[in-house]
Coordinates of all heavy atoms in Angstrom, one line a residue:
W978 N 37.3 4.9 46.1 CA 36.4 6.0 46.2 C 35.2 5.6 45.4 O 35.3 5.3 44.2 CB 37.0 7.3 45.8 CG 36.0 8.5 45.8 CD1 35.3 8.9 46.8 CD2 35.7 9.3 44.7 NE1 34.6 10.0 46.4 CE2 34.8 10.3 45.1 CE3 36.1 9.3 43.3 CZ2 34.3 11.2 44.2 CZ3 35.6 10.3 42.5 CH2 34.7 11.2 43.0
K979 N 34.0 5.7 46.0 CA 32.8 5.3 45.3 C 31.9 6.5 45.0 O 31.5 7.2 46.0 CB 32.1 4.2 46.1 CG 30.9 3.6 45.4 CD 30.3 2.6 46.2 CE 29.0 2.0 45.6 NZ 28.4 1.1 46.4
E980 N 31.6 6.8 43.8 CA 30.7 7.9 43.5 C 29.2 7.4 43.7 O 28.9 6.3 43.5 CB 30.8 8.3 42.0 CG 32.0 9.2 41.8 CD 32.0 9.8 40.4 OE1 31.0 10.3 40.0 OE2 33.1 9.7 39.8
K981 N 28.4 8.4 44.1 CA 27.0 8.1 44.2 C 26.4 8.1 42.8 O 26.8 8.9 42.0 CB 26.3 9.2 45.1 CG 26.5 9.0 46.5 CD 25.6 9.8 47.3 CE 25.7 9.5 48.8 NZ 24.7 10.1 49.6
M982 N 25.5 7.2 42.6 CA 24.9 7.1 41.3 C 23.8 8.2 41.1 O 23.1 8.5 42.0 CB 24.1 5.7 41.2 CG 23.6 5.4 39.9 SD 22.7 3.8 39.8 CE 24.0 2.7 40.2
N983 N 23.9 8.8 39.9 CA 22.9 9.8 39.6 C 21.5 9.1 39.7 O 21.3 8.0 39.2 CB 23.2 10.2 38.1 CG 22.2 11.2 37.6 OD1 21.0 11.1 37.8 ND2 22.8 12.2 36.9
I984 N 20.5 9.8 40.3 CA 19.2 9.3 40.5 C 18.5 8.9 39.2 O 17.9 7.8 39.1 CB 18.3 10.2 41.3 CG1 17.1 9.5 41.8 CG2 17.9 11.5 40.6 CD1 17.3 8.4 42.8
S985 N 18.6 9.7 38.1 CA 18.0 9.3 36.9 C 18.7 8.0 36.3 O 18.0 7.2 35.7 CB 18.0 10.4 35.9 OG 19.4 10.8 35.6
E986 N 20.0 7.9 36.5 CA 20.7 6.7 36.0 C 20.2 5.5 36.8 O 20.0 4.4 36.2 CB 22.2 6.9 36.2 CG 23.0 5.7 35.8 CD 23.0 5.4 34.3 OE1 22.6 6.3 33.5 OE2 23.5 4.3 33.9
F987 N 20.0 5.6 38.1 CA 19.5 4.5 38.9 C 18.1 4.2 38.4 O 17.8 3.0 38.3 CB 19.5 4.9 40.4 CG 18.9 3.8 41.2 CD1 19.5 2.6 41.4 CD2 17.6 4.0 41.8 CE1 18.9 1.6 42.2 CE2 17.0 3.0 42.5 CZ 17.7 1.8 42.7
E988 N 17.2 5.1 38.3 CA 15.9 4.9 37.8 C 15.9 4.1 36.5 O 15.1 3.2 36.3 CB 15.1 6.2 37.7 CG 14.7 6.8 39.0 CD 13.8 5.9 39.8 OE1 12.9 5.2 39.3 OE2 14.0 5.9 41.1
R989 N 16.8 4.5 35.6 CA 16.8 3.8 34.3 C 17.3 2.3 34.5 O 16.8 1.5 33.8 CB 17.8 4.6 33.4 CG 17.8 4.1 32.0 CD 18.7 5.0 31.1 NE 20.1 4.8 31.4 CZ 20.9 3.8 31.1 NH1 20.4 2.8 30.5 NH2 22.2 3.8 31.5
R990 N 18.2 2.1 35.4 CA 18.8 0.7 35.5 C 18.2 -0.1 36.7 O 18.5 -1.2 36.9 CB 20.3 0.9 35.7 CG 21.0 1.5 34.6 CD 22.5 1.6 34.7 NE 23.0 1.1 36.0 CZ 24.2 1.1 36.4 NH1 25.1 1.6 35.6 NH2 24.6 0.7 37.5
K991 N 17.2 0.5 37.4 CA 16.7 -0.1 38.6 C 16.1 -1.5 38.3 O 15.4 -1.6 37.3 CB 15.6 0.8 39.2 CG 15.0 0.2 40.4 CD 14.1 1.2 41.2 CE 13.2 2.0 40.3 NZ 12.4 3.0 41.0
P992 N 16.3 -2.4 39.1 CA 15.8 -3.8 38.9 C 14.3 -3.7 39.2 O 13.8 -3.8 40.3 CB 16.5 -4.6 39.9 CG 17.4 -3.8 40.7 CD 17.3 -2.4 40.2
H993 N 13.5 -3.6 38.2 CA 12.0 -3.4 38.3 C 11.3 -4.6 39.0 O 10.4 -4.4 39.7 CB 11.4 -3.1 37.0 CG 11.9 -1.8 36.4 ND1 11.4 -0.5 36.9 CD2 12.8 -1.5 35.5 CE1 12.0 0.4 36.3 NE2 12.9 -0.1 35.4
K994 N 11.8 -5.8 38.7 CA 11.1 -7.0 39.3 C 11.3 -6.9 40.8 O 10.4 -7.2 41.6 CB 11.7 -8.3 38.8 CG 11.1 -8.7 37.5 CD 11.7 -10.1 37.1 CE 10.9 -10.8 36.1 NZ 11.5 -12.1 35.8
T995 N 12.5 -6.6 41.3 CA 12.8 -6.5 42.7 C 12.0 -5.4 43.3 O 11.4 -5.6 44.4 CB 14.3 -6.2 42.9 OG1 15.1 -7.2 42.3 CG2 14.7 -6.1 44.4
H996 N 11.8 -4.3 42.7 CA 11.0 -3.2 43.2 C 9.6 -3.6 43.3 O 8.9 -3.3 44.4 CB 11.2 -1.9 42.3 CG 10.7 -0.7 42.9 ND1 9.5 -0.1 42.5 CD2 11.1 0.1 43.9 CE1 9.2 0.9 43.3 NE2 10.2 1.1 44.1
K997 N 9.1 -4.2 42.3 CA 7.7 -4.7 42.3 C 7.4 -5.7 43.4 O 6.4 -5.7 44.1 CB 7.3 -5.3 41.0 CG 5.9 -5.7 40.9 CD 5.5 -6.2 39.5 CE 4.1 -6.7 39.4 NZ 3.7 -7.2 38.1
T998 N 8.4 -6.6 43.6 CA 8.3 -7.7 44.6 C 8.3 -7.0 46.0 O 7.5 -7.4 46.9 CB 9.4 -8.7 44.5 OG1 9.3 -9.3 43.2 CG2 9.3 -9.8 45.6
L999 N 9.1 -6.1 46.2 CA 9.2 -5.4 47.5 C 7.9 -4.7 47.8 O 7.3 -4.8 48.9 CB 10.4 -4.4 47.5 CG 10.8 -3.7 48.7 CD1 11.0 -4.6 49.9 CD2 12.0 -2.8 48.5
N1000 N 7.3 -4.0 46.8 CA 6.0 -3.3 47.0 C 4.9 -4.3 47.3 O 4.1 -4.0 48.2 CB 5.7 -2.5 45.7 CG 6.4 -1.2 45.6 OD1 6.9 -0.6 46.6 ND2 6.6 -0.8 44.4
N1001 N 4.9 -5.4 46.6 CA 3.9 -6.5 46.9 C 4.0 -7.0 48.3 O 3.0 -7.3 48.9 CB 4.0 -7.6 45.8 CG 3.5 -7.1 44.5 OD1 2.8 -6.1 44.3 ND2 3.9 -7.8 43.4
L1002 N 5.2 -7.2 48.7 CA 5.4 -7.7 50.1 C 4.9 -6.7 51.1 O 4.2 -7.1 52.1 CB 6.9 -8.0 50.4 CG 7.4 -9.3 49.7 CD1 8.9 -9.4 49.9 CD2 6.8 -10.5 50.4
I1003 N 5.2 -5.4 50.9 CA 4.7 -4.4 51.8 C 3.2 -4.4 51.9 O 2.6 -4.4 52.9 CB 5.3 -3.0 51.5 CG1 6.8 -3.0 51.7 CG2 4.5 -1.9 52.2 CD1 7.5 -1.8 51.2
K1004 N 2.6 -4.5 50.7 CA 1.1 -4.5 50.6 C 0.5 -5.7 51.3 O -0.5 -5.7 52.0 CB 0.6 -4.5 49.1 CG 0.8 -3.1 48.5 CD 0.4 -3.2 47.0 CE 0.8 -1.9 46.3 NZ 0.6 -2.0 44.9
K1005 N 1.2 -6.9 51.1 CA 0.7 -8.1 51.7 C 0.6 -8.0 53.2 O -0.4 -8.4 53.9 CB 1.7 -9.3 51.3 CG 1.4 -10.6 52.0 CD 2.5 -11.6 51.7 CE 2.3 -12.9 52.6 NZ 3.3 -13.9 52.2
Y1006 N 1.7 -7.5 53.8 CA 1.8 -7.4 55.3 C 0.9 -6.3 55.8 O 0.3 -6.4 56.9 CB 3.2 -7.3 55.8 CG 3.9 -8.6 55.6 CD1 4.9 -8.8 54.6 CD2 3.5 -9.8 56.3 CE1 5.6 -10.0 54.4 CE2 4.2 -11.0 56.1 CZ 5.2 -11.1 55.2 OH 5.8 -12.3 55.0
Q1007 N 0.7 -5.2 55.0 CA -0.2 -4.1 55.4 C -1.6 -4.7 55.5 O -2.4 -4.3 56.4 CB -0.1 -3.0 54.4 CG 1.1 -2.1 54.6 CD 1.2 -1.0 53.6 OE1 0.8 -1.2 52.4 NE2 1.9 0.1 53.9
K1008 N -2.0 -5.5 54.5 CA -3.3 -6.1 54.5 C -3.6 -7.0 55.7 O -4.6 -6.9 56.3 CB -3.5 -6.9 53.2 CG -4.9 -7.5 53.0 CD -5.0 -8.1 51.7 CE -6.4 -8.8 51.5 NZ -7.5 -8.2 52.0
I1009 N -2.6 -7.7 56.1 CA -2.7 -8.5 57.3 C -2.9 -7.6 58.5 O -3.8 -7.9 59.4 CB -1.5 -9.4 57.6 CG1 -1.4 -10.5 56.5 CG2 -1.5 -10.1 59.0 CD1 -0.1 -11.3 56.4
V1010 N -2.2 -6.6 58.6 CA -2.3 -5.6 59.8 C -3.7 -5.0 59.8 O -4.3 -4.9 60.8 CB -1.2 -4.5 59.7 CG1 -1.5 -3.4 60.7 CG2 0.2 -5.1 59.9
M1011 N -4.2 -4.6 58.6 CA -5.5 -3.9 58.5 C -6.7 -4.9 58.6 O -7.7 -4.5 59.2 CB -5.6 -3.2 57.2 CG -4.5 -2.1 57.0 SD -4.5 -0.9 58.3 CE -5.9 0.0 57.9
D1012 N -6.6 -6.1 58.1 CA -7.8 -6.9 57.9 C -7.9 -8.1 58.9 O -9.0 -8.7 59.0 CB -7.8 -7.5 56.5 CG -8.0 -6.4 55.5 OD1 -8.3 -5.2 55.8 OD2 -7.7 -6.7 54.3
M1013 N -6.8 -8.5 59.5 CA -6.9 -9.7 60.4 C -7.6 -9.4 61.7 O -7.2 -8.6 62.5 CB -5.5 -10.2 60.6 CG -5.5 -11.5 61.4 SD -3.9 -12.3 61.4 CE -4.3 -13.9 62.0
P1014 N -8.7 -10.2 61.9 CA -9.3 -10.0 63.2 C -8.5 -10.6 64.3 O -7.9 -11.6 64.2 CB -10.6 -10.8 63.0 CG -10.4 -11.8 62.0 CD -9.3 -11.2 61.1
I1015 N -8.4 -9.9 65.4 CA -7.6 -10.4 66.6 C -8.6 -11.0 67.6 O -9.3 -10.3 68.3 CB -6.8 -9.2 67.2 CG1 -5.9 -8.6 66.1 CG2 -6.1 -9.7 68.4 CD1 -5.1 -7.4 66.6
T1016 N -8.6 -12.3 67.6 CA -9.5 -13.0 68.6 C -8.7 -13.6 69.7 O -9.3 -14.0 70.7 CB -10.3 -14.1 67.8 OG1 -9.3 -15.0 67.2 CG2 -11.1 -13.5 66.7
D1017 N -7.4 -13.7 69.6 CA -6.6 -14.3 70.7 C -5.2 -13.8 70.6 O -4.8 -13.0 69.7 CB -6.6 -15.9 70.6 CG -6.1 -16.5 69.3 OD1 -5.4 -15.8 68.6 OD2 -6.5 -17.6 69.0
D1018 N -4.4 -14.3 71.5 CA -3.0 -13.8 71.6 C -2.2 -14.2 70.3 O -1.3 -13.4 69.9 CB -2.2 -14.4 72.8 CG -2.7 -13.7 74.1 OD1 -3.3 -12.7 74.0 OD2 -2.4 -14.3 75.2
E1019 N -2.5 -15.4 69.8 CA -1.8 -15.8 68.6 C -2.0 -14.8 67.4 O -1.1 -14.5 66.7 CB -2.2 -17.2 68.2 CG -1.4 -17.8 67.1 CD -1.7 -19.3 66.9 OE1 -1.9 -20.0 67.8 OE2 -1.7 -19.7 65.7
D1020 N -3.3 -14.4 67.3 CA -3.6 -13.4 66.2 C -2.9 -12.1 66.4 O -2.4 -11.5 65.5 CB -5.1 -13.2 66.2 CG -5.9 -14.4 65.7 OD1 -5.3 -15.3 65.0 OD2 -7.1 -14.4 65.9
A1021 N -2.8 -11.7 67.7 CA -2.2 -10.4 68.0 C -0.7 -10.5 67.7 O -0.1 -9.5 67.2 CB -2.4 -10.1 69.5
I1022 N -0.1 -11.7 67.9 CA 1.3 -11.8 67.6 C 1.5 -11.8 66.1 O 2.5 -11.1 65.6 CB 1.9 -13.2 68.2 CG1 1.9 -13.1 69.7 CG2 3.2 -13.5 67.6 CD1 2.2 -14.4 70.4
K1023 N 0.7 -12.4 65.3 CA 0.8 -12.4 63.9 C 0.7 -10.9 63.3 O 1.4 -10.5 62.5 CB -0.3 -13.2 63.2 CG -0.1 -14.7 63.4 CD -1.2 -15.5 62.8 CE -1.1 -17.0 63.1 NZ -2.2 -17.8 62.6
V1024 N -0.3 -10.2 63.9 CA -0.5 -8.8 63.4 C 0.7 -8.0 63.8 O 1.2 -7.2 63.0 CB -1.8 -8.2 64.0 CG1 -1.9 -6.7 63.7 CG2 -3.0 -8.9 63.4
E1025 N 1.2 -8.2 65.0 CA 2.4 -7.4 65.4 C 3.6 -7.7 64.6 O 4.4 -6.8 64.2 CB 2.7 -7.7 66.9 CG 3.9 -6.9 67.5 CD 4.1 -7.2 68.9 OE1 3.3 -7.9 69.6 OE2 5.1 -6.7 69.4
M1026 N 3.8 -9.0 64.2 CA 4.9 -9.4 63.4 C 4.7 -8.8 62.0 O 5.7 -8.3 61.4 CB 5.0 -10.9 63.3 CG 5.6 -11.5 64.5 SD 5.7 -13.3 64.4 CE 7.0 -13.5 63.2
A1027 N 3.5 -8.8 61.4 CA 3.3 -8.2 60.1 C 3.6 -6.7 60.1 O 4.1 -6.2 59.2 CB 1.8 -8.5 59.7
A1028 N 3.2 -6.1 61.2 CA 3.5 -4.6 61.3 C 5.0 -4.4 61.4 O 5.5 -3.4 60.7 CB 2.8 -4.1 62.6
D1029 N 5.7 -5.2 62.0 CA 7.2 -5.1 62.0 C 7.8 -5.4 60.6 O 8.7 -4.7 60.2 CB 7.8 -6.2 63.0 CG 7.6 -5.8 64.5 OD1 7.3 -4.6 64.8 OD2 7.8 -6.7 65.3
F1030 N 7.2 -6.3 59.9 CA 7.7 -6.6 58.6 C 7.5 -5.4 57.7 O 8.3 -5.0 56.9 CB 7.0 -7.8 57.9 CG 7.4 -9.1 58.6 CD1 6.5 -10.2 58.5 CD2 8.6 -9.3 59.2 CE1 6.8 -11.4 59.0 CE2 8.9 -10.5 59.8 CZ 8.0 -11.6 59.7
V1031 N 6.3 -4.8 57.8 CA 6.0 -3.6 57.0 C 7.0 -2.5 57.3 O 7.6 -1.9 56.4 CB 4.6 -3.0 57.3 CG1 4.4 -1.6 56.7 CG2 3.5 -4.0 56.8
K1032 N 7.3 -2.3 58.6 CA 8.3 -1.2 58.9 C 9.7 -1.5 58.4 O 10.3 -0.7 57.8 CB 8.4 -1.2 60.5 CG 9.3 -0.1 61.0 CD 9.3 0.0 62.5 CE 10.3 1.0 63.0 NZ 10.4 1.0 64.5
E1033 N 10.1 -2.8 58.5 CA 11.4 -3.1 58.0 C 11.5 -3.1 56.5 O 12.5 -2.7 55.9 CB 11.8 -4.5 58.5 CG 12.1 -4.5 60.0 CD 12.4 -5.9 60.6 OE1 12.6 -6.8 59.9 OE2 12.3 -6.0 61.8
L1034 N 10.5 -3.6 55.8 CA 10.5 -3.6 54.3 C 10.4 -2.2 53.8 O 11.0 -1.9 52.8 CB 9.3 -4.4 53.8 CG 9.4 -5.9 54.0 CD1 8.1 -6.6 53.7 CD2 10.5 -6.5 53.1
T1035 N 9.7 -1.3 54.5 CA 9.6 0.1 54.1 C 10.9 0.8 54.2 O 11.3 1.5 53.3 CB 8.5 0.8 54.9 OG1 7.2 0.2 54.7 CG2 8.4 2.3 54.5
N1036 N 11.7 0.5 55.3 CA 13.0 1.0 55.4 C 13.9 0.5 54.3 O 14.7 1.2 53.7 CB 13.6 0.7 56.8 CG 13.0 1.5 57.9 OD1 12.5 2.6 57.7 ND2 13.0 1.0 59.1
L1037 N 13.8 -0.8 54.0 CA 14.6 -1.4 52.9 C 14.3 -0.7 51.6 O 15.1 -0.4 50.8 CB 14.3 -2.9 52.9 CG 15.0 -3.7 51.7 CD1 16.6 -3.5 51.9 CD2 14.6 -5.1 51.8
Q1038 N 13.0 -0.5 51.4 CA 12.6 0.2 50.1 C 13.2 1.6 50.0 O 13.6 1.9 48.9 CB 11.0 0.3 50.1 CG 10.5 0.9 48.9 CD 9.0 0.9 48.9 OE1 8.4 1.3 49.9 NE2 8.3 0.6 47.8
K1039 N 13.3 2.3 51.1 CA 13.9 3.6 51.0 C 15.4 3.5 50.6 O 15.8 4.3 49.7 CB 13.8 4.3 52.4 CG 12.4 4.8 52.7 CD 12.4 5.3 54.1 CE 10.9 5.6 54.5 NZ 10.8 6.1 55.9
F1040 N 16.1 2.6 51.1 CA 17.5 2.4 50.7 C 17.5 2.0 49.2 O 18.4 2.4 48.4 CB 18.2 1.3 51.5 CG 18.5 1.7 52.9 CD1 18.0 1.1 54.0 CD2 19.4 2.8 53.1 CE1 18.3 1.5 55.3 CE2 19.7 3.2 54.4 CZ 19.1 2.5 55.5
F1041 N 16.7 1.1 48.8 CA 16.6 0.6 47.4 C 16.4 1.7 46.5 O 17.0 1.9 45.5 CB 15.5 -0.5 47.3 CG 15.4 -1.0 45.9 CD1 16.2 -2.0 45.5 CD2 14.4 -0.5 45.1 CE1 16.1 -2.5 44.2 CE2 14.3 -1.0 43.8 CZ 15.1 -2.0 43.3
E1042 N 15.4 2.6 46.8 CA 15.0 3.7 45.9 C 16.1 4.8 45.8 O 16.2 5.4 44.8 CB 13.7 4.3 46.3 CG 12.5 3.3 46.0 CD 11.2 3.8 46.5 OE1 11.1 4.8 47.3 OE2 10.2 3.2 46.2
K1043 N 16.9 4.9 46.9 CA 18.1 5.8 46.8 C 19.3 5.2 46.1 O 20.2 5.9 45.8 CB 18.5 6.1 48.2 CG 17.6 7.0 49.0 CD 18.1 7.3 50.4 CE 17.2 8.1 51.2 NZ 17.7 8.3 52.6
G1044 N 19.2 3.9 45.8 CA 20.3 3.2 45.1 C 21.5 2.9 46.0 O 22.6 2.8 45.6
E1045 N 21.2 2.8 47.3 CA 22.3 2.5 48.2 C 22.4 1.0 48.4 O 21.5 0.2 48.3 CB 21.9 3.1 49.6 CG 21.9 4.6 49.5 CD 21.6 5.3 50.8 OE1 21.1 4.7 51.7 OE2 21.9 6.4 50.9

């Protein structure tokens, strides 16, 4: 039987480097989505992939912040 971790306990022990790295990755791919000019199909694919990365990393971040 596994107890859920108290949120304040998780916040105190949270791996801050991992959290910062996750945030930086989300920002990196958001910047690509927002700033990359789409001039051809290859650019469109890169932007679409970056948008997918943002979505997946954001979902991962939610689990991380809940301590799951």
